[in-house]
Amino acid sequence: MNRLLLAAYPEPYRSRQGDELLACLAEAYPGRSWPPPREAAALVRAGVQARARAVADDTGRPWWLDGIHLAALALAALALVPYLQDVWHWALRIDPGQHAIAFRFSGWYPWAEGPTQTRLLPYGLLPLACLIALLRGRPWIALPAAAAMIWAGATSHGRILFGDEGKAGLSYYGLGAPITARDLVLSGTLCAACAVLALCRSSRLRRRSYGWLAPVVLAMFMAGSLHIISVSPAFQRGLFVLEATALLGAWVATAATGDHRWLIPVAVVAVVRTQAIVVQPESFMRSFPELVVLLLLIVPLPALAVTAQRRQGRALAE
């Protein structure tokens, strides 16, 4: 089990010092396959810092380009999360029955029982295709998928392909107002980010392995098997933990390197979600008071900027 902790470290570090670290853990905690929680947290934190330093020390791409890439990945994931159950059911030809996520007729699948209208594809395939393409550093594939998200939300023709979900159905729910597919701020920002990345040479973009899709597949399995939808308390709590973890990771990476690239995705997601709260205050989910939500979105931005400046100041002093 100790080897799982090594996954937090970059591959070069694991190759050079992985065996030594495992030997130290075995000597410090004989007979245990897992260190105490405090030690495990410290190892994960050190692994995140090592990864952040490796990214910041890579001179193959400018920090702002990497930041835009991270922002596009975050927006694609943000758009995909509500449709995890839907894509899973469609891929495995499962009739969701009464668990369909707010479609006018249950399911919208050709094989669904009872009254149903047929749609060609689930809307969630668009952000999923965008996420996979961005992970592999291929923005020219992600750009048409992001443009199709805009088309599905802006035109009535999207209903033929994606059903009402692609036009006015429920979409992302977090700690703020819902973002429907017809709210084009998210899809428009994602499309703009993909366009900027597509104009750059693909060799300058970071390519991540398909292993990064394992959490996505696991989330689809859980959402599809347990019928967890975006309005359920379990979904809300899980998403809160996920977002809090991502913010902590951005803070740790910024504090370790003094690099501003992690500020870009945090700022972009905060702007998109704040816009939904301001424009649709009557649609607020009441999972948290509005002031608390706005503070949770806005406070991390100056905090990350100050952390980066302090780290850079210490580096210059040294």
Side-chain angles (χ1 to χ4, degrees):
M1 295 295 290
N2 286 335
R3 290 189 176 276
L4 291 178
L5 295 173
L6 291 181
Y9 293 82
E11 195 280 330
Y13 183 95
R14 295 197 301 267
S15 300
R16 295 193 309 267
Q17 298 175 265
D19 292 338
E20 180 182 351
L21 180 59
L22 290 175
C24 290
L25 288 174
E27 182 179 353
Y29 308 103
R32 296 186 57 165
S33 60
W34 195 262
R38 177 179 294 184
E39 183 69 21
L43 289 172
V44 171
R45 185 173 183 271
V48 173
Q49 290 176 333
R51 283 185 176 273
R53 293 190 188 97
V55 170
D57 293 340
D58 186 359
T59 58
R61 58 191 61 83
W63 67 268
W64 59 265
L65 182 63
D66 215 16
I68 294 175
H69 195 182
L70 289 171
L73 285 168
L75 290 178
L78 185 66
L80 171 63
V81 163
Y83 305 107
L84 293 171
Q85 174 189 229
D86 191 31
V87 173
W88 182 263
H89 287 166
W90 176 82
L92 298 184
R93 296 179 64 89
I94 298 173
D95 180 3
Q98 298 303 315
H99 299 286
I101 49 176
F103 293 113
R104 182 177 301 167
F105 298 96
S106 177
W108 283 77
Y109 295 100
W111 57 86
E113 298 179 0
T116 183
Q117 293 186 12
T118 301
R119 57 180 176 150
L120 181 61
L121 297 169
Y123 177 80
L125 282 183
L126 296 177
L128 178 61
C130 195
L131 179 65
I132 295 174
L134 289 169
L135 279 173
R136 297 299 297 165
R138 294 180 170 86
W140 64 89
I141 299 177
L143 181 58
M149 291 171 63
I150 298 177
W151 173 80
T155 70
S156 60
H157 301 292
R159 297 185 180 186
I160 301 174
L161 290 176
F162 306 108
D164 272 357
E165 191 75 3
K167 177 66 177 178
L170 297 177
S171 185
Y172 169 75
Y173 283 87
L175 305 178
I179 303 176
T180 62
R182 63 181 175 180
D183 185 347
L184 303 183
V185 174
L186 191 155
S187 54
T189 306
L190 175 59
C191 188
C194 292
V196 172
L197 296 175
L199 291 175
C200 302
R201 295 196 307 272
S202 59
S203 60
R204 302 181 73 187
L205 299 181
R206 193 178 306 278
R207 294 189 178 185
R208 295 165 176 83
S209 70
Y210 287 109
W212 284 91
L213 290 174
V216 178
V217 176
L218 178 61
M220 285 185 180
F221 168 76
M222 293 184 63
S225 301
L226 302 178
H227 299 294
I228 300 176
I229 61 175
S230 56
V231 295
S232 69
F235 181 94
Q236 296 290 312
R237 287 191 290 266
L239 193 55
F240 173 75
V241 171
L242 181 63
E243 292 186 347
T245 302
L247 278 175
L248 287 174
W251 182 84
V252 170
T254 303
T257 63
D259 198 289
H260 289 82
R261 74 187 67 209
W262 291 281
L263 183 62
I264 296 178
V266 174
V268 168
V269 172
V271 168
V272 168
R273 292 184 53 196
T274 301
Q275 179 270 341
I277 296 174
V278 173
V279 173
Q280 305 180 71
E282 71 280 358
S283 301
F284 192 77
M285 288 300 295
R286 304 296 175 188
S287 53
F288 281 89
E290 294 183 24
L291 180 60
V292 174
V293 174
L294 290 175
L295 288 176
L296 288 174
L297 292 174
I298 296 171
V299 167
L301 301 179
L304 285 173
V306 170
T307 299
Q309 289 299 117
R310 287 182 175 178
R311 180 64 179 84
Q312 289 180 351
R314 287 198 300 267
L316 292 176
E318 294 173 356

